[in-house]
Amino acid sequence: MIFSYLKTKTTSLSKLLVTPQETLNFKKLSTMSNCIFCKIVNGSIPSSKLIETNHSLAFLDIAPLSPGHVLVIPKVHSEFLHEISDEALADILPVVKKIAIAIGSPNYNILQNNGRLAHQEVPHAHFHIIPKPDQKQGLGVKWPVIHPTKEEIEETFQKIRTKL
């Protein structure tokens, strides 16, 4: 029935179809409107802002692992690191460095997770600066090392290298 209706119209079916990029853009806009970090950027949710530039914002984490735990985010919504513009990335790392110096902790972690399986809780790219004042406070990390063969390492190397 819909197809017979479409045949009577001058609009072609191809004009009604949504491209994959348009679908991604719609999902991104939908995510942005619900994103807690986007709401912090636009001021609808308060935060303890430490540094704000044209491209990034640094503020205290409200669920810190230790005193001085800070988040640095791009102001433009990007769920993953690889979606952040090069211009914003060039701005973010100096902000992370300034925060790390200001925290004054000789031991700290810089953490950036991408995706749920990688423990990303908020779907907006962000960098944690987490002071490690002692064994109990701060980030605890387990590092489950795998033991690839030389052949597996070479295969992985070639897969990555060909895409660069």
Side-chain angles (χ1 to χ4, degrees), residues 21-35:
Q21 186 59 47
E22 289 170 326
T23 301
L24 287 173
N25 289 342
F26 175 76
K27 286 180 181 177
K28 195 169 197 177
L29 286 173
S30 175
T31 303
M32 287 170 48
S33 65
N34 298 321
C35 175

PDB file of all heavy atoms in Angstrom, residues 21-35:
ATOM      1  N   GLN A  21      24.986   7.843   7.748  1.00  0.00           N
ATOM      2  CA  GLN A  21      25.535   9.029   8.402  1.00  0.00           C
ATOM      3  C   GLN A  21      24.434   9.859   9.052  1.00  0.00           C
ATOM      4  O   GLN A  21      24.592  10.363  10.160  1.00  0.00           O
ATOM      5  CB  GLN A  21      26.325   9.888   7.413  1.00  0.00           C
ATOM      6  CG  GLN A  21      27.030  11.063   8.059  1.00  0.00           C
ATOM      7  CD  GLN A  21      28.015  10.635   9.145  1.00  0.00           C
ATOM      8  OE1 GLN A  21      28.813   9.733   8.946  1.00  0.00           O
ATOM      9  NE2 GLN A  21      27.951  11.258  10.307  1.00  0.00           N
ATOM     10  N   GLU A  22      23.281   9.977   8.369  1.00  0.00           N
ATOM     11  CA  GLU A  22      22.162  10.716   8.954  1.00  0.00           C
ATOM     12  C   GLU A  22      21.650  10.020  10.212  1.00  0.00           C
ATOM     13  O   GLU A  22      21.289  10.665  11.190  1.00  0.00           O
ATOM     14  CB  GLU A  22      21.029  10.868   7.938  1.00  0.00           C
ATOM     15  CG  GLU A  22      21.349  11.823   6.819  1.00  0.00           C
ATOM     16  CD  GLU A  22      20.331  11.790   5.691  1.00  0.00           C
ATOM     17  OE1 GLU A  22      19.773  10.719   5.406  1.00  0.00           O
ATOM     18  OE2 GLU A  22      20.105  12.853   5.089  1.00  0.00           O
ATOM     19  N   THR A  23      21.641   8.678  10.197  1.00  0.00           N
ATOM     20  CA  THR A  23      21.231   7.925  11.376  1.00  0.00           C
ATOM     21  C   THR A  23      22.187   8.189  12.529  1.00  0.00           C
ATOM     22  O   THR A  23      21.768   8.431  13.656  1.00  0.00           O
ATOM     23  CB  THR A  23      21.190   6.414  11.062  1.00  0.00           C
ATOM     24  OG1 THR A  23      20.270   6.201   9.999  1.00  0.00           O
ATOM     25  CG2 THR A  23      20.758   5.604  12.274  1.00  0.00           C
ATOM     26  N   LEU A  24      23.505   8.176  12.245  1.00  0.00           N
ATOM     27  CA  LEU A  24      24.494   8.460  13.281  1.00  0.00           C
ATOM     28  C   LEU A  24      24.334   9.871  13.824  1.00  0.00           C
ATOM     29  O   LEU A  24      24.409  10.089  15.026  1.00  0.00           O
ATOM     30  CB  LEU A  24      25.912   8.278  12.735  1.00  0.00           C
ATOM     31  CG  LEU A  24      26.361   6.847  12.508  1.00  0.00           C
ATOM     32  CD1 LEU A  24      27.718   6.831  11.806  1.00  0.00           C
ATOM     33  CD2 LEU A  24      26.418   6.072  13.799  1.00  0.00           C
ATOM     34  N   ASN A  25      24.101  10.847  12.925  1.00  0.00           N
ATOM     35  CA  ASN A  25      23.915  12.234  13.367  1.00  0.00           C
ATOM     36  C   ASN A  25      22.690  12.357  14.264  1.00  0.00           C
ATOM     37  O   ASN A  25      22.709  13.072  15.255  1.00  0.00           O
ATOM     38  CB  ASN A  25      23.800  13.173  12.170  1.00  0.00           C
ATOM     39  CG  ASN A  25      25.117  13.343  11.440  1.00  0.00           C
ATOM     40  OD1 ASN A  25      26.177  13.047  11.971  1.00  0.00           O
ATOM     41  ND2 ASN A  25      25.037  13.794  10.208  1.00  0.00           N
ATOM     42  N   PHE A  26      21.587  11.660  13.909  1.00  0.00           N
ATOM     43  CA  PHE A  26      20.379  11.700  14.721  1.00  0.00           C
ATOM     44  C   PHE A  26      20.653  11.098  16.099  1.00  0.00           C
ATOM     45  O   PHE A  26      20.267  11.658  17.119  1.00  0.00           O
ATOM     46  CB  PHE A  26      19.230  10.946  14.037  1.00  0.00           C
ATOM     47  CG  PHE A  26      18.003  10.857  14.900  1.00  0.00           C
ATOM     48  CD1 PHE A  26      17.185  11.964  15.065  1.00  0.00           C
ATOM     49  CD2 PHE A  26      17.692   9.688  15.569  1.00  0.00           C
ATOM     50  CE1 PHE A  26      16.066  11.895  15.881  1.00  0.00           C
ATOM     51  CE2 PHE A  26      16.584   9.612  16.385  1.00  0.00           C
ATOM     52  CZ  PHE A  26      15.765  10.715  16.536  1.00  0.00           C
ATOM     53  N   LYS A  27      21.339   9.945  16.127  1.00  0.00           N
ATOM     54  CA  LYS A  27      21.665   9.315  17.408  1.00  0.00           C
ATOM     55  C   LYS A  27      22.532  10.236  18.247  1.00  0.00           C
ATOM     56  O   LYS A  27      22.359  10.343  19.449  1.00  0.00           O
ATOM     57  CB  LYS A  27      22.378   7.979  17.179  1.00  0.00           C
ATOM     58  CG  LYS A  27      21.468   6.878  16.702  1.00  0.00           C
ATOM     59  CD  LYS A  27      22.247   5.593  16.502  1.00  0.00           C
ATOM     60  CE  LYS A  27      21.342   4.498  15.990  1.00  0.00           C
ATOM     61  NZ  LYS A  27      22.089   3.261  15.728  1.00  0.00           N
ATOM     62  N   LYS A  28      23.491  10.934  17.611  1.00  0.00           N
ATOM     63  CA  LYS A  28      24.375  11.841  18.331  1.00  0.00           C
ATOM     64  C   LYS A  28      23.578  13.004  18.923  1.00  0.00           C
ATOM     65  O   LYS A  28      23.762  13.364  20.075  1.00  0.00           O
ATOM     66  CB  LYS A  28      25.467  12.354  17.397  1.00  0.00           C
ATOM     67  CG  LYS A  28      26.617  13.000  18.098  1.00  0.00           C
ATOM     68  CD  LYS A  28      27.743  13.240  17.143  1.00  0.00           C
ATOM     69  CE  LYS A  28      29.018  13.483  17.886  1.00  0.00           C
ATOM     70  NZ  LYS A  28      30.153  13.646  17.017  1.00  0.00           N
ATOM     71  N   LEU A  29      22.650  13.579  18.139  1.00  0.00           N
ATOM     72  CA  LEU A  29      21.823  14.672  18.639  1.00  0.00           C
ATOM     73  C   LEU A  29      20.944  14.202  19.786  1.00  0.00           C
ATOM     74  O   LEU A  29      20.789  14.890  20.790  1.00  0.00           O
ATOM     75  CB  LEU A  29      20.955  15.247  17.512  1.00  0.00           C
ATOM     76  CG  LEU A  29      21.676  16.104  16.491  1.00  0.00           C
ATOM     77  CD1 LEU A  29      20.733  16.452  15.344  1.00  0.00           C
ATOM     78  CD2 LEU A  29      22.214  17.373  17.125  1.00  0.00           C
ATOM     79  N   SER A  30      20.388  12.994  19.652  1.00  0.00           N
ATOM     80  CA  SER A  30      19.557  12.437  20.696  1.00  0.00           C
ATOM     81  C   SER A  30      20.366  12.235  21.970  1.00  0.00           C
ATOM     82  O   SER A  30      19.927  12.553  23.067  1.00  0.00           O
ATOM     83  CB  SER A  30      18.976  11.104  20.223  1.00  0.00           C
ATOM     84  OG  SER A  30      18.261  10.487  21.258  1.00  0.00           O
ATOM     85  N   THR A  31      21.588  11.716  21.830  1.00  0.00           N
ATOM     86  CA  THR A  31      22.470  11.507  22.978  1.00  0.00           C
ATOM     87  C   THR A  31      22.844  12.839  23.607  1.00  0.00           C
ATOM     88  O   THR A  31      22.861  12.974  24.822  1.00  0.00           O
ATOM     89  CB  THR A  31      23.739  10.750  22.535  1.00  0.00           C
ATOM     90  OG1 THR A  31      23.344   9.528  21.937  1.00  0.00           O
ATOM     91  CG2 THR A  31      24.635  10.447  23.708  1.00  0.00           C
ATOM     92  N   MET A  32      23.144  13.846  22.772  1.00  0.00           N
ATOM     93  CA  MET A  32      23.550  15.149  23.283  1.00  0.00           C
ATOM     94  C   MET A  32      22.485  15.756  24.176  1.00  0.00           C
ATOM     95  O   MET A  32      22.797  16.337  25.211  1.00  0.00           O
ATOM     96  CB  MET A  32      23.857  16.107  22.127  1.00  0.00           C
ATOM     97  CG  MET A  32      25.143  15.802  21.406  1.00  0.00           C
ATOM     98  SD  MET A  32      25.354  16.746  19.886  1.00  0.00           S
ATOM     99  CE  MET A  32      24.970  18.398  20.369  1.00  0.00           C
ATOM    100  N   SER A  33      21.214  15.616  23.796  1.00  0.00           N
ATOM    101  CA  SER A  33      20.148  16.240  24.570  1.00  0.00           C
ATOM    102  C   SER A  33      19.990  15.585  25.943  1.00  0.00           C
ATOM    103  O   SER A  33      19.479  16.204  26.866  1.00  0.00           O
ATOM    104  CB  SER A  33      18.834  16.197  23.802  1.00  0.00           C
ATOM    105  OG  SER A  33      18.401  14.855  23.636  1.00  0.00           O
ATOM    106  N   ASN A  34      20.430  14.338  26.079  1.00  0.00           N
ATOM    107  CA  ASN A  34      20.344  13.629  27.351  1.00  0.00           C
ATOM    108  C   ASN A  34      21.680  13.539  28.079  1.00  0.00           C
ATOM    109  O   ASN A  34      21.751  12.959  29.147  1.00  0.00           O
ATOM    110  CB  ASN A  34      19.825  12.203  27.116  1.00  0.00           C
ATOM    111  CG  ASN A  34      18.435  12.200  26.526  1.00  0.00           C
ATOM    112  OD1 ASN A  34      17.601  13.009  26.894  1.00  0.00           O
ATOM    113  ND2 ASN A  34      18.195  11.302  25.594  1.00  0.00           N
ATOM    114  N   CYS A  35      22.724  14.078  27.499  1.00  0.00           N
ATOM    115  CA  CYS A  35      24.078  13.904  28.026  1.00  0.00           C
ATOM    116  C   CYS A  35      24.334  14.825  29.218  1.00  0.00           C
ATOM    117  O   CYS A  35      24.232  16.050  29.112  1.00  0.00           O
ATOM    118  CB  CYS A  35      25.090  14.179  26.922  1.00  0.00           C
ATOM    119  SG  CYS A  35      26.795  14.125  27.477  1.00  0.00           S
TER     120      CYS A  35
END
